[in-house]
């Protein structure tokens, strides 16, 4: 076994964001760039006195199939062998959806996993790539790890790699790579078994067969295609036409694999028709996000989480009740109202799925979600797009009502949280930082100020005290809360690869059911104006309107 020790120099830009390290493909293709970051992870894990080290351990590796996925896997396998890892589980063809990878880590009691994805970002030679480490509970590495990875990356000067031919990862089976065993497993089987244990496949299948439940699922030429084809078509009996864009492609077929009304336009337009299917749904590049649309009824992701919590009794895996719920701070407070009615706790965390991990492991919550089209439960430690779709299919099969009726009945019971997110993408990073810092400087003077009919009650920069381990996460977004309980949230996103993305979240609660059918943008118009007054993004950036409105 010929282990090479390669000299290298540190890169200064390997600080992980909210979900790993994301850069343009050409950045990862620089000499030593990927290798340095992977070695930084391995070195940190080896030095961690509270962990098992690397020797004799099992690692899970796979990704969403985007460009550079297979090449990166070969590098990681050879480095894992050189660093003393005993076994690596690889998804066939290098494919694992992010939630499936989380499940495989948990099922096979692996030390963790390297998940290769830039999530909902575009793929291809000139587009994006990403890598993140998930710990043994299947969830994204907490900040204490990601900060340590970054610190190690700033000082690293060499990495270890096995001098060996590439491994065949297109066929299932066992292979030897030096002294390390490589086991290529079917990417779908374990995940499909998990879904069958949670949901009433018999009821869903019967509703599909008798024609009372129809749907279209848009896999967006991304990783969920094989999972949807196996579960929705082969196991539940839906037609092949029910799954759109089912074949994963390295560039997602030129599609931007972000499941929203802009990028899943064909599905969105289909669902506006009178003869549209009962349910339309889509997932993203790595399969952890979801969009839900009923016939002429778009379901806001925040509302979707609240409706799942309110209807968990219909799902076999959750019939015993839920222990609690959690949402990211910018997510609307619709689920808070359900939690209050159920008599369970609702936790407010920073954006980033890693913040739900401790709450899930401690049994404090069962369901959790983010406004960015992500929801999940204690079945894995990632958000899970196809899981959410199956949850909705199960509810529809049980209730035998249209999506629109279910949503409107929910609003009548709990009130409606009018909600929208305005994204300004690829903003010059310097301008964005100056804009955000100026806003933070204004926070102490905002309480008591009145903007038309809105008086500021509180204004702060959100920080989070983890109730499980006592860790504190600061600088997690700006909150401006008004006396009528409306909110404006400002946040710089950490998921892009070019410039900065400024997200503005707007929320206004309406308990009066006679006012539940209004256009959210009209209801929120005054808050939109106040947001511009506070941060002056259009004036400072020259943007005439948001890049995306959801």
């Amino acid at each position: 076994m010929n282990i090479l020790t390669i000299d290298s120099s540190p890169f200064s830009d390997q600080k992980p964001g909210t979900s790993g390290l994301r850069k343009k493909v050409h950045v990862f293709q620089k000499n030593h760039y990927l290798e340095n970051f992977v070695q930084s992870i391995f070195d940190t894990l080896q030095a961690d006195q509270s962990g098992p080290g690397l020797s004799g351990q099992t690692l899970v590796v796979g990704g969403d199939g985007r460009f550079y996925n297979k090449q990166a896997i070969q590098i990681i396998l050879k480095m894992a062998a050189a660093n003393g890892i005993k076994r690596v589980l690889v998804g066939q063809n290098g494919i694992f959806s992010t939630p499936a990878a989380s499940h495989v880590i948990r099922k096979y009691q692996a030390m963790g996993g390297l998940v290769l994805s830039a999530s909902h970002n575009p793929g291809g030679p000139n587009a994006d790539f990403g890598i993140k480490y998930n710990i043994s509970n299947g969830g994204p590495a907490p900040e204490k790890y990601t900060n340590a990875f970054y610190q190690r990356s700033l000082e690293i000067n060499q990495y270890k790699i096995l001098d060996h031919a590439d491994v065949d990862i297109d066929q299932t089976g066992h292979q030897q790579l030096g002294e390390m065993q490589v086991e290529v497993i079917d990417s779908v089987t374990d995940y499909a078994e998990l879904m069958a244990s949670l949901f009433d496949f018999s009821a869903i299948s019967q509703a599909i067969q008798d024609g009372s439940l129809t749907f279209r699922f848009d896999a967006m030429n991304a990783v969920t295609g094989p999972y949807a084809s196996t579960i929705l078509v082969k196991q539940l009996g839906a037609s092949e036409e029910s799954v759109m864009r089912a074949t994963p492609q390295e560039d997602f077929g030129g599609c931007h694999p972000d499941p929203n009304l802009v990028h899943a336009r064909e599905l969105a337009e289909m669902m506006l028709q009178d003869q549209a299917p009962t349910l339309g749904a889509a997932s993203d590049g790595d399969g952890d996000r979801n969009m839900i649309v009923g016939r002429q009824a778009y379901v806001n992701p925040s509302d979707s989480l609240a409706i799942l919590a309110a209807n968990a009794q219909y799902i076999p895996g959750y019939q015993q009740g839920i222990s609690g719920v959690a949402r990211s701070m910018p997510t609307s407070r619709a689920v808070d109202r359900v939690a209050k009615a159920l008599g369970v706790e609702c936790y407010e965390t920073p954006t980033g799925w890693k913040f739900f991990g401790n709450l899930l492991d401690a049994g404090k919550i069962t369901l959790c979600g983010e406004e960015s089209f992500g929801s999940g439960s204690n079945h894995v430690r990632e958000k899970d797009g196809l899981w959410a779709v199956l949850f909705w299919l199960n509810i529809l099969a049980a209730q035998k009502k249209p999506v629109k009726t279910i949503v409107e009945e929910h609003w009548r019971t709990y009130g409606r949280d009018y909600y929208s997110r305005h994204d300004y993408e690829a903003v010059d990073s310097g301008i964005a930082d100056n804009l955000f810092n100026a806003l933070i400087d204004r926070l102490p003077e905002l309480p008591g100020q009145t903007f038309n009919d809105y008086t500021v009650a509180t204004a702060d920069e959100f920080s989070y005290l983890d109730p499980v381990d006592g860790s504190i996460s600061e600088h997690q977004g700006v909150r401006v809360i008004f006396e009528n309980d409306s909110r404006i949230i400002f946040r710089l996103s950490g998921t892009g690869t070019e410039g900065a993305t400024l997200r503005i979240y707007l929320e206004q609660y309406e308990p009066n059911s006679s006012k539940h059918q209004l256009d959210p943008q009209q209801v929120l118009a005054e808050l939109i104006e106040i947001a511009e007054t506070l941060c002056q993004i259009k004036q400072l950036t020259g943007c005439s309107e948001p890049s995306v409105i959801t």
Side-chain angles (χ1 to χ4, degrees):
M1 188 170 74
N2 186 19
I3 296 176
L4 305 177
T5 299
I6 308 296
D7 291 335
S8 65
S9 299
F11 295 89
S12 62
D13 63 345
Q14 294 192 330
K15 184 175 178 61
T18 53
S19 193
L21 181 67
R22 294 182 187 173
K23 302 289 180 183
K24 293 295 183 184
V25 168
H26 68 80
V27 175
F28 275 100
Q29 290 175 322
K30 291 179 182 178
N31 286 338
H32 312 311
Y33 192 89
L34 173 64
E35 292 89 341
N36 269 21
F37 188 66
V38 172
Q39 190 66 55
S40 296
I41 293 174
F42 287 160
D43 287 352
T44 301
L45 297 175
Q46 181 64 32
D48 181 13
Q49 297 298 315
S50 65
L54 300 178
S55 179
Q57 297 301 312
T58 296
L59 182 72
V60 173
V61 177
D64 61 13
R66 68 178 58 233
F67 186 86
Y68 197 58
N69 188 66
K70 285 190 172 182
Q71 297 94 318
I73 288 174
Q74 296 294 343
I75 291 170
I76 290 168
L77 290 177
K78 295 169 190 176
M79 292 187 66
N83 279 273
I85 289 173
K86 179 181 181 180
R87 180 174 71 147
V88 175
L89 300 176
V90 185
Q92 187 177 13
N93 297 309
I95 292 289
F96 270 136
S97 74
T98 293
S102 178
H103 175 55
V104 169
I105 291 169
R106 294 167 62 80
K107 179 176 179 179
Y108 294 98
Q109 299 181 320
M111 63 175 283
L114 288 170
V115 181
L116 309 179
S117 173
S119 188
H120 56 294
N121 293 4
N126 300 313
D128 300 341
F129 190 75
I131 178 172
K132 69 174 181 176
Y133 182 72
N134 281 26
I135 60 176
S136 60
N137 74 349
E143 287 184 325
K144 69 175 183 179
Y145 284 104
T146 57
N147 289 338
F149 299 159
Y150 176 54
Q151 290 303 316
R152 178 58 182 155
S153 78
L154 294 175
E155 59 189 24
I156 194 167
N157 57 16
Q158 62 182 30
Y159 60 86
K160 293 188 289 186
I161 189 166
L162 185 67
D163 184 13
H164 198 283
D166 286 354
V167 176
D168 181 4
I169 59 173
D170 294 336
Q171 306 298 323
T172 59
H174 296 77
Q175 300 171 64
Q176 203 70 21
L177 186 59
E179 296 180 359
M180 185 181 79
Q181 184 182 89
V182 178
E183 185 176 350
V184 181
I185 65 175
D186 184 87
S187 307
V188 178
T189 300
D190 291 320
Y191 177 84
E193 290 176 354
L194 177 63
M195 294 301 102
S197 73
L198 295 173
F199 299 105
D200 190 344
F201 274 23
S202 177
I204 299 171
S205 179
Q206 180 58 46
I208 291 171
Q209 301 312 311
D210 67 24
S212 62
L213 177 57
T214 57
F215 66 88
R216 289 292 185 275
F217 176 78
D218 188 355
M220 306 189 85
N221 294 318
V223 76
T224 48
Y227 295 86
S229 295
T230 295
I231 297 172
L232 301 179
V233 177
K234 294 179 182 178
Q235 296 184 354
L236 294 178
S239 66
E240 291 188 1
E241 294 74 23
S242 297
V243 181
M244 306 162 56
R245 298 192 282 186
T247 303
Q249 299 182 36
E250 288 190 335
D251 65 349
F252 306 117
C255 160
H256 187 154
D258 191 355
N260 58 44
L261 297 175
V262 174
H263 300 304
R265 186 178 301 277
E266 181 182 352
L267 175 68
E269 291 177 349
M270 177 191 303
M271 297 306 298
L272 291 173
Q273 306 304 312
D274 291 338
Q275 300 304 313
T278 312
L279 181 74
S283 190
D284 69 329
D286 66 329
D288 64 353
R289 300 184 184 217
N290 72 90
M291 178 180 74
I292 300 296
V293 190
R295 186 183 299 130
Q296 300 176 343
Y298 166 71
V299 184
N300 183 291
S302 296
D303 281 345
S304 181
L305 174 62
I307 291 168
L308 299 188
N311 290 276
Q313 71 272 15
Y314 292 106
I315 312 302
Y318 309 101
Q319 283 181 340
Q320 300 304 311
I322 60 177
S323 60
V325 297
R327 59 166 176 82
S328 64
M329 182 272 287
T331 301
S332 97
R333 292 167 293 181
V335 74
D336 302 42
R337 308 182 201 288
V338 175
K340 183 177 180 179
L342 294 175
V344 300
E345 192 72 32
C346 179
Y347 296 88
E348 182 179 47
T349 75
T351 295
W353 209 259
K354 58 193 173 188
F355 293 104
F356 295 136
N358 279 350
L359 298 172
L360 289 163
D361 287 347
K364 290 182 176 294
I365 62 171
T366 303
L367 302 180
C368 47
E370 298 180 331
E371 50 70 37
S372 54
F373 296 89
S375 48
S377 83
N378 56 1
H379 70 290
V380 292
R381 294 300 182 267
E382 290 276 6
K383 49 185 176 282
D384 191 344
L386 193 51
W387 167 88
V389 175
L390 288 165
F391 205 126
W392 269 97
L393 288 172
N394 204 152
I395 292 172
L396 291 165
Q399 290 206 25
K400 303 186 186 307
K401 297 175 182 177
V403 171
K404 187 175 183 179
T405 300
I406 292 172
V407 172
E408 290 176 347
E409 289 180 350
H410 182 89
W411 289 341
R412 283 197 293 272
T413 301
Y414 299 98
R416 179 176 184 182
D417 285 83
Y418 279 100
Y419 183 85
S420 185
R421 188 181 90 187
H422 290 200
D423 290 358
Y424 293 84
E425 298 176 339
V427 175
D428 178 88
S429 296
I431 292 175
D433 288 340
N434 290 337
L435 179 156
F436 211 73
N437 289 334
L439 177 60
I440 291 172
D441 289 343
R442 289 190 63 185
L443 293 179
E445 67 188 47
L446 287 179
Q449 287 195 27
T450 297
F451 301 85
N452 297 325
D453 296 327
Y454 294 78
T455 300
V456 177
T458 61
D460 63 9
E461 196 174 9
F462 180 59
S463 64
Y464 175 65
L465 173 63
D466 190 304
V468 178
D469 65 13
S471 61
I472 298 174
S473 299
E474 299 178 314
H475 312 300
Q476 297 295 327
V478 168
R479 301 184 296 182
V480 180
I481 302 173
F482 298 89
E483 290 182 354
N484 64 1
D485 209 29
S486 298
R487 296 194 307 166
I488 302 175
I489 308 298
F490 301 88
R491 182 175 160 269
L492 287 175
S493 172
T495 59
T497 61
E498 188 172 1
T501 297
L502 177 63
R503 305 196 196 280
I504 301 176
Y505 311 82
L506 309 124
E507 179 182 6
Q508 182 165 309
Y509 178 62
E510 180 53 70
N512 188 342
S513 60
S514 68
K515 298 180 180 180
H516 285 171
Q517 303 301 323
L518 304 175
D519 180 348
Q521 300 307 312
Q522 292 181 1
V523 172
L524 299 169
E526 281 195 60
L527 286 176
I528 294 170
E529 290 183 9
I530 296 170
E532 174 62 21
T533 299
L534 291 174
C535 73
Q536 298 181 320
I537 186 169
K538 292 180 181 178
Q539 177 181 330
L540 295 175
T541 66
C543 298
S544 60
E545 59 184 16
S547 308
V548 180
I549 296 176
T550 51

